Amino acid sequence: MSANLSTSAMEKVKFLYKFIRTPRTIGSVTPSSRYLTHKMIDAVPWSSIHCVAELGCGTGVMTKAIHRKMMPDTTVLLFEKDSHLRKQLALQFPESNTYADAKHLCSAVREAGFEHVDCVISGLPFANFPQPVRDALMDQVRRALRPGGYFIAFQYSLQMKKQFASLFHIESIRFEMRNVPPAFVYVCRKR
């Protein structure tokens, strides 16, 4: 048990350090809580997911939950811009493909041997990005998803609701108070 606590504490320290260095790309002072993680992961119909992409993996809190829930034949594509965190993810999840930039999601999906992904799970702080970066990322997500595919993202405000609604059908927006900071979980489907 104490090893888990020390690993969790180390993840929090590492996340805080990354936030201080690059607040516009990390977006939070602490990794996602287990409550937020469950709210995100439980929205996915795992039995029908053959390929999933996670954008903005950070220290891998959501990634661990994905690996616990996914089917044995599911392919996971991980995207993390921070090179140190990306190396850690590659070591921790060697069976997954790890990439540096979600702006290349479509080419990564093809490289992995798929035409589309069934689900995109995002922890990217879209509200922190300039509009052209948001647009490029959202275009990649929309193009990479199969029709009816899931886009599940958490955000710390409702600022992205209009843009998400213009691209996807928003099935629900769930609020998770037990996270620092509290977050909104968007569960969307590609039309």
Side-chain angles (χ1 to χ4, degrees):
M1 184 79 170
S2 63
N4 285 343
L5 288 175
S6 64
T7 300
S8 175
M10 285 173 51
E11 280 183 352
K12 288 178 181 173
V13 169
K14 188 187 315 178
F15 213 84
L16 177 60
Y17 172 74
K18 296 292 182 182
F19 175 78
I20 290 167
R21 284 188 59 222
T22 55
R24 292 186 63 76
T25 58
I26 297 293
S28 176
V29 296
T30 184
S32 301
S33 71
R34 69 175 188 253
Y35 305 106
L36 177 59
T37 301
H38 290 310
K39 202 160 270 191
M40 297 272 293
I41 298 303
D42 290 348
V44 179
W46 289 103
S47 61
S48 63
I49 304 299
H50 304 288
C51 185
V52 60
E54 182 188 2
L55 313 182
C57 303
T59 58
V61 172
M62 201 76 62
T63 315
K64 287 176 197 162
I66 289 169
H67 280 79
R68 279 194 299 271
K69 286 283 200 165
M70 69 184 205
M71 298 291 110
D73 63 341
T74 301
T75 297
V76 181
L77 310 176
L78 304 175
F79 292 83
E80 176 52 53
K81 201 149 186 105
D82 183 274
S83 61
H84 176 74
L85 293 176
R86 189 171 59 254
K87 286 175 193 167
Q88 294 300 312
L89 290 164
L91 290 171
Q92 201 172 359
F93 305 100
E95 68 283 2
S96 297
N97 302 311
T98 309
Y99 303 92
D101 199 336
K103 285 193 262 181
H104 303 293
L105 174 59
C106 290
S107 59
V109 171
R110 286 190 302 276
E111 182 184 300
F114 290 87
E115 195 172 319
H116 297 288
V117 292
D118 301 301
C119 182
V120 174
I121 295 173
S122 177
L124 292 176
F126 288 106
N128 290 1
F129 302 152
Q131 192 62 49
V133 174
R134 282 187 222 167
D135 292 343
L137 288 166
M138 293 312 304
D139 181 61
Q140 284 290 299
V141 170
R142 185 189 54 75
R143 289 177 38 219
L145 270 176
R146 69 167 168 79
Y150 287 82
F151 172 59
I152 301 170
F154 74 86
Q155 298 290 288
Y156 300 119
S157 73
L158 294 173
Q159 181 178 341
M160 291 299 296
K161 182 178 179 182
K162 186 175 179 181
Q163 186 165 5
F164 288 170
S166 72
L167 299 168
F168 306 104
H169 167 70
I170 298 177
E171 290 194 338
S172 67
I173 300 174
R174 304 166 182 181
F175 185 64
E176 182 50 68
M177 189 73 167
R178 297 166 295 179
N179 192 68
V180 178
F184 294 92
V185 174
Y186 292 82
V187 178
C188 308
R189 300 280 298 272
K190 183 175 178 179
R191 294 183 182 98

